[in-house]
Amino acid sequence: MEEALDLLVTGIGRLVTAKGTSPKGGKGMGMLKSIPKAAIAARAGRVVAAGPEEEVLAAVGDRPVGRWLDAAGRLVTPGLIDAHTHLVHAGSREHELTLKLHGMSYLEILAAGGGIQRTVSDTRRASQADLYEKARRTLDVMMTMGTTTVEAKSGYGLEWETERKQLRVARELNRRHPMDVVSTFLGAHAVPGEYRDRPDDYVAQVAEEMVPAVAREKLAEFCDVFCEQGVFSAERSRVILEAGRRWGLRPKVHADELAATGGAELAAEVGAVSADHLLHATEEGLRALAQGDVVAVLLPGTAFFLGETPAPARKMIDEFALPVALATDYNPGSSPTESLQLIMAMAAAMMRMTPEEILTAVTLNAACAVGKGEETGTLEPGKWADFVLWEAENPEYLVYRFGMNHAHAVVKKGHLVAVEGRFVGRV
Ligand SMILES: N=CN[C@@H](CCC(=O)O)C(=O)O
Ligand SMILES: [Zn+2]
C-alpha cells in the first residue's frame, strides 16, 4: 500500500495561490490560480497534491489519512510570510508616540539618544531567556493570524554580545517553534552612542569582526544595513554589505525610508535579495532595482505609524514591473504590529494594490525576499504544506474587512497550529 497521508483537507470553497518559485513583477503579480471546490493532501510536511477536489482525491486513491479536515467552503491560501521584522527585542516605546504628537520626528528622537538607542539599552540588559519568551509569544500571535514564516533581524545590540544574544534567540525559536524563522544580521542598525564621534570605527568593527563571527557561528543568512541620512551613508553601508557577501551573508538594505540616500541603487549594485521601505527611492533607484532583480519589500504599517506617505507601489508595479512584497516591519518604534492582515488592508486602501497583487506580495514574493521561494509561498507539490483556512470566501474580503483576524485555522508543515485565534502548535 502507498504511504499514508498526514493531512487531507477537502471542502475548500476556493483555493487561491500564486505559482512557481521566483518573484513575480508587474502584471505577473495579479496572475493567481483560483480553484473552486478544491482539496490539499500533505505528507511529511509537504504538499502532495493541491487542486480541484476530484483530481486530488483521485491522486490520493485509497491511501490512509492521518487527519481529514473539512474546510466547510472556506477560502484557502498559502501561509503568509512576513519578510521584514525586528522580532527579538526588549521593552516597548509607547512614550515616543507622545513626543511625535508634539512634533518631534523619528530621526530627532534617535539623534537625542532615544528611538532605536532606547531599545538597544533595554535589549542589552535583558537576559536571553526573557528575550526568547517575549519573541516566542509574538510568534504565537503572528501564527494565529496566518503567518507561517518570519524574517527576524538583530540590531538592538550594536555590540557583539547582544547581537549574538538576539541571533541565538532567533535560531532557538526556529528550532523549537513551528514558525520558520529566517535570521538577518543588522549590526548596522544605528551608530551606537559609544561611537558617535567615530562612525567609521564602528563600520570597521561590524565589517571586520561581527560579520565574520556571525558567519562562523552560522547565526544568519542575510546581512542588512539601515542606509539612511544621518544613520549609515551608502558608502559606509557598501563596506558592510560587501563584507557580508564575502562571508556568505546575502545582502538586504533598509533603503530610502526617510530620505533619498542612494539605498535602492546600492541594493542593486551589491546584488541584494531585497530593498526595503523605499518611500523616497528615486526613479533611477527603482530602475536599478528592476534591472537587478531585487524584491521591493514595502512596509505601509511604518508609513502609517510615522505619518509618512507610503511607498509608490502602483508606480513600482505598473511602470517598473518590480516584484513587490509586503511585510509588517514589526518593531517597537516604527511599526508595533504583528498583523500582516492589517498590512494587507493598508496596501489596498493606501497604496491601491489589488487583492491579487497583495496576496502575491505576502506569499510568493515575500518567500523570495527571504530566500525561500523553492520551499514555500505557493501551494504546489513538493513545497511545505503551509496554509490558512480563512473565514472568508475570496481574497477581496480579506483586504476589505480590516482590523480583525480572519484566520479560521492555520496549518504549518502539515500540522494544525492555530484554530480560531488560539495557538495550538506547542510541541
Ligand atoms: N528604520 C529602521 N529600523 C526599523 C525601526 C526600528 C526601531 O525604531 O526600533 C524600521 O525598519 O522601521
Ligand atoms: Zn526594519
Side-chain angles (χ1 to χ4, degrees):
M1 194 201 297
E2 281 190 275
E3 282 164 321
L5 295 172
D6 298 324
L7 179 69
L8 179 64
V9 184
T10 51
I12 297 172
R14 186 166 291 278
L15 173 71
V16 183
T17 178
K19 291 172 277 182
T21 55
S22 48
K24 299 282 179 281
K27 286 199 170 42
M29 283 191 69
M31 292 174 189
L32 298 172
K33 230 172 12 179
S34 178
I35 305 161
K37 291 200 182 64
I40 301 175
R43 196 187 164 278
R46 298 195 179 256
V47 174
V48 172
E53 189 170 282
E54 66 273 24
E55 286 178 25
V56 172
L57 290 177
V60 160
D62 55 5
R63 290 163 79 164
V65 174
R67 181 170 211 154
W68 192 326
L69 288 182
D70 176 13
R74 294 186 175 88
L75 168 74
V76 169
T77 71
L80 309 182
I81 294 167
D82 199 340
H84 182 137
T85 85
H86 301 255
L87 172 72
V88 183
H89 62 262
S92 63
R93 308 218 300 267
E94 59 274 23
H95 62 282
E96 284 176 15
L97 183 57
T98 313
L99 296 178
K100 282 186 208 127
L101 294 175
H102 284 95
M104 215 168 161
S105 77
Y106 179 84
L107 285 180
E108 282 164 355
I109 296 171
L110 178 62
I116 293 173
Q117 304 287 6
R118 162 69 183 256
T119 304
V120 167
S121 19
D122 290 347
T123 307
R124 285 181 180 177
R125 272 200 306 271
S127 70
Q128 189 165 317
D130 286 348
L131 290 176
Y132 179 93
E133 202 40 36
K134 178 170 159 68
R136 195 230 0 115
R137 284 196 302 270
T138 305
L139 291 184
D140 290 2
V141 172
M142 288 175 164
M143 210 154 224
T144 63
M145 293 197 285
T147 301
T148 50
T149 298
V150 164
E151 185 256 14
K153 301 175 194 297
S154 66
Y156 291 121
L158 313 183
E159 41 84 354
W160 176 235
E161 292 259 299
T162 311
E163 290 292 318
R164 180 170 60 183
K165 187 167 66 176
Q166 282 187 277
L167 291 169
R168 283 182 170 171
V169 167
R171 185 169 66 184
E172 237 1 70
L173 285 164
N174 185 44
R175 286 180 184 152
R176 293 209 238 149
H177 196 282
M179 188 80 82
D180 276 293
V181 181
V182 181
S183 285
T184 297
F185 170 59
L186 178 58
H189 195 192
V191 177
E194 311 86 273
Y195 285 85
R196 186 171 303 145
D197 303 322
R198 45 191 186 106
D200 284 320
D201 290 355
Y202 185 63
V203 170
Q205 197 193 98
V206 173
E208 292 160 28
E209 293 171 35
M210 294 197 211
V211 161
V214 169
R216 274 193 220 103
E217 288 193 36
K218 298 193 173 29
L219 282 168
E221 291 177 45
F222 297 96
C223 179
D224 195 346
V225 173
F226 187 12
C227 178
E228 189 63 52
Q229 222 170 60
V231 192
F232 292 96
S233 64
E235 293 68 37
R236 289 184 173 128
S237 302
R238 182 183 296 111
V239 172
I240 293 165
L241 295 173
E242 282 182 347
R245 221 172 39 174
R246 282 197 297 280
W247 282 90
L249 304 177
R250 302 171 72 191
K252 280 179 167 284
V253 187
H254 276 71
D256 307 311
E257 175 183 355
L258 303 159
T261 316
E265 290 86 339
L266 176 67
E269 182 197 320
V270 299
V273 184
S274 72
D276 303 33
H277 285 294
L278 299 170
L279 273 58
H280 298 274
T282 62
E283 299 255 326
E284 297 75 61
L286 296 182
R287 200 163 301 116
L289 292 180
Q291 281 160 5
D293 288 327
V294 183
V295 179
V297 178
L298 307 186
L299 310 163
T302 313
F304 165 79
F305 195 73
L306 297 183
E308 301 263 332
T309 306
R314 279 267 52 94
K315 178 170 168 177
M316 291 172 173
I317 297 169
D318 297 339
E319 292 174 35
F320 293 91
L322 272 170
V324 167
L326 290 159
T328 59
D329 192 17
Y330 167 76
N331 76 74
S334 68
S335 190
T337 181
E338 294 90 346
S339 176
L340 254 180
Q341 292 181 50
L342 182 57
I343 301 302
M344 292 163 73
M346 287 177 179
M350 295 159 56
M351 299 158 102
R352 320 316 293 170
M353 287 174 68
T354 68
E356 292 77 17
E357 290 168 343
I358 291 168
L359 202 57
T360 302
V362 292
T363 57
L364 178 59
N365 284 0
C368 296
V370 298
K372 296 279 177 272
E374 303 276 339
E375 302 281 8
T376 187
T378 66
L379 285 166
E380 295 173 290
K383 287 207 181 183
W384 293 335
D386 296 354
F387 53 91
V388 185
L389 280 69
W390 299 102
E391 213 54 82
E393 290 179 7
N394 50 58
E396 288 84 347
Y397 190 82
L398 290 184
V399 305
Y400 140 85
R401 185 88 163 81
F402 74 95
M404 58 186 295
N405 182 12
H406 297 291
H408 168 72
V410 183
V411 173
K412 176 67 189 172
K413 291 186 176 154
H415 296 283
L416 203 57
V417 287
V419 182
E420 288 177 348
R422 226 165 13 93
F423 180 73
V424 296
R426 193 91 51 243
V427 275

